[in-house]
Amino acid sequence: MKRLDLIFSERELDAILTALENAGAPGYTVMKHATGRGPETIVSEDMEFSGLGANAHVIVFCDEDIINKTRENIKSILNYYGGVAYVSEATPL
Amino acid sequence: METNLVLQNVLTPPVLFFFLGIVAVVLRSDLEIPAPLPKLFSLYLLLAIGFKGGMELESSGLGGQVLPTVGSAIIMSLVIPLICFVILRLKLDVFNSAAIAAAYGSISAVTFITAESFLESQNIPFDGFMVAALALMESPAIIVGLILVKIAGTKNRRPDSRPMKWRTILRESVLNGSVYLLLGSLLIGFLTAAHNPSGVEKMQPFTGKLFYGAECFFLLDMGIVAAQRLPGLRKAGSFLIFFAVLIPLFNALLGIAVAKALVLGPGNALLFAVLCASASYLAVPAAMRMTVPEAKASYYISTTLGLTFPFNIVIGIPLYMGLVNTFIPS
């Protein structure tokens, strides 16, 4: 079992979730209003009113083949709009 | 400039709350407004202003000055980004120039609302149909900005850039949440006033009496955001700082000249000038972030929100009123 962590602007949430669903992800968790610091600037909620809000953090637990299926699509979105994605091992309790 | 007008404008609750927000950041107060609330208040302001505008549009009808004024407003939102683009290209690349030009061609609903409050405090009449101009000026500038990128920026786009799809562009410019709500509320206000006067009465406590307080609260948040955006201006550089202060003045003068040609009264002329002079920080940044990610958001947000917006609501509105009084005597 793998864990995929994605952090990117909330504006791209629909595109990322569509990519995950098309790859057959069994489910995912979305945490909105994620703030912090990116490579260029502080990520805050202060532009929430304009739709340029903070980041979203998406966590997916799934098999590796699902991650492979969605890899290129998600990389393309993150390369274009910005954001990070990391895959790690996950052990169920 | 009439100093008295500036003082009267500054000493109104919305502008004072705006300063309160700025001072909170400067003094590092722990004042914080939870994120969903400013969004809710911005939606409320758009709904209320659209609804009231629709009602007044129904009572004034589409004859007389309405169609020429609205048509001229749309033309201005096409012309202003082109002028801004030419100026910005002196120092910036195509993407940043187009994104900033689109922001300045579009409008700021809150600046418009503040100008309406200013006119009310001065007992200067204005017409509700100006809201229709407000609603219709937001989208054309976005489309012009994206056409500029398509024409001038194709060769310079990043290798991983996605081709711009007209469907996406039109969707972003017309169905963007703030534009959609403003246009929808305008239509609902128009239909309600025409066919269901009791509905207007029922909405009044919400769209009428709460409005001024909500505007103050939103401006408090805008003061905080504007102050937080000020450090970004340092990165933008002196060219953009001068641009952010001088271009509203130029656009306002352009607006006043058009208003004079349209024979608008002083109140409507001020609103027309403010529409031309203001810059968008609602629809345009969202659309540009989506379609032109090559442009630095810090540039178009810092200039519009950190400088042009405060300039307009504090000094710009009374200054433009002084110019209107000079060029269009009542």
Side-chain angles (χ1 to χ4, degrees):
Chain A
M1 181 68 76
K2 298 284 181 187
R3 169 178 165 149
L4 172 62
D5 280 89
L6 298 147
I7 300 169
F8 52 88
S9 170
E10 279 180 25
R11 289 280 300 171
E12 282 79 63
L13 186 58
D14 284 348
I16 294 281
L17 296 184
T18 303
L20 289 170
E21 283 170 12
N22 289 344
Y28 46 76
T29 301
V30 178
M31 285 173 280
K32 287 189 175 184
H33 310 299
T35 63
R37 188 174 177 86
E40 284 187 15
T41 183
I42 289 170
V43 178
S44 73
E45 294 177 301
D46 66 2
M47 289 296 287
E48 183 74 19
F49 61 86
S50 74
L52 288 181
N55 281 341
H57 182 183
V58 173
I59 303 172
V60 190
F61 293 102
C62 60
D63 292 330
E64 191 166 10
D65 64 317
I66 290 172
I67 288 178
N68 288 335
K69 271 187 211 165
T70 195
R71 187 181 297 270
E72 285 312 310
N73 205 352
I74 285 180
K75 268 173 75 177
S76 144
I77 295 169
L78 298 185
N79 285 343
Y80 192 54
Y81 294 110
V84 292
Y86 282 92
V87 181
S88 53
E89 289 296 329
T91 311
L93 268 177
Chain B
M1 179 171 40
E2 294 174 48
T3 320
N4 197 27
L5 275 180
V6 177
L7 201 62
Q8 283 175 25
N9 182 49
V10 168
L11 295 178
T12 55
V15 179
L16 288 172
F17 273 106
F18 180 76
F19 281 121
L20 191 67
I22 290 178
V23 172
V25 176
V26 173
L27 297 181
R28 298 187 181 179
S29 158
D30 63 355
L31 174 66
E32 192 183 357
I33 298 168
L37 287 182
K39 174 111 184 168
L40 175 69
F41 277 103
S42 74
L43 294 175
Y44 165 76
L45 292 177
L46 292 167
L47 184 153
I49 194 176
F51 188 82
K52 286 192 286 187
M55 277 162 42
E56 292 181 43
L57 191 62
E58 197 279 329
S59 64
S60 64
L62 292 172
Q65 288 181 317
V66 179
L67 287 179
T69 304
V70 172
S72 303
I74 294 171
I75 291 169
M76 292 302 277
S77 71
L78 295 169
V79 171
I80 289 173
L82 294 174
I83 297 170
C84 293
F85 183 76
V86 171
I87 298 169
L88 289 161
R89 280 293 283 138
L90 296 173
K91 289 274 182 186
L92 300 174
D93 63 29
V94 169
F95 306 110
N96 283 304
S97 301
I100 299 170
Y104 279 85
S106 190
I107 49 85
S108 154
V110 182
T111 311
F112 181 86
I113 292 166
T114 313
E116 280 193 337
S117 300
F118 173 80
L119 288 173
E120 277 165 7
S121 72
Q122 300 290 313
N123 293 318
I124 300 171
F126 57 91
D127 289 304
F129 68 74
M130 292 304 292
V131 176
L134 166 85
L136 294 171
M137 278 183 87
E138 192 124 40
S139 307
I142 297 174
I143 295 170
V144 171
L146 298 177
I147 288 173
L148 288 169
V149 170
K150 205 163 173 67
I151 294 171
T154 310
K155 284 180 198 165
N156 302 321
R157 296 210 86 185
R158 293 193 321 225
D160 61 346
S161 289
R162 294 154 173 227
M164 274 194 221
K165 292 178 186 159
W166 283 109
R167 199 176 155 195
T168 314
I169 293 170
L170 289 171
R171 191 180 165 77
E172 270 301 306
S173 57
V174 180
L175 293 181
N176 178 288
S178 61
V179 180
Y180 180 79
L181 182 61
L182 193 57
L183 286 171
S185 304
L186 192 76
L187 182 64
I188 291 171
F190 186 89
L191 293 173
T192 309
H195 302 290
N196 186 4
S198 68
V200 172
E201 212 172 297
K202 283 176 190 162
M203 285 292 281
Q204 213 285 327
F206 184 68
T207 54
K209 287 188 175 167
L210 282 178
F211 189 83
Y212 201 63
E215 183 192 349
C216 290
F217 196 91
F218 188 68
L219 276 166
L220 171 68
D221 181 66
M222 293 297 283
I224 295 172
V225 177
Q228 285 169 341
R229 292 283 153 185
L230 280 174
L233 279 173
R234 253 181 273 142
K235 283 185 191 167
S238 54
F239 174 74
L240 273 183
I241 292 172
F242 279 115
F243 177 86
V245 175
L246 296 178
I247 203 71
L249 285 170
F250 175 78
N251 291 339
L253 280 170
L254 217 56
I256 291 168
V258 175
K260 190 176 170 70
L262 289 167
V263 203
L264 295 180
N268 289 348
L270 175 74
L271 293 179
F272 196 89
V274 164
L275 287 175
C276 294
S278 66
S280 169
Y281 42 79
L282 283 174
V284 175
M288 290 297 146
R289 168 73 179 75
M290 188 85 170
T291 47
V292 193
E294 291 94 339
K296 286 185 181 172
S298 60
Y299 282 8
Y300 52 79
I301 292 170
S302 300
T303 47
T304 56
L305 206 49
L307 212 49
T308 301
F309 175 71
F311 174 79
N312 273 334
I313 67 162
V314 178
I315 299 167
I317 292 170
L319 173 64
Y320 308 149
M321 192 71 243
L323 292 170
V324 165
N325 288 335
T326 306
F327 293 111
I328 311 175
S330 52

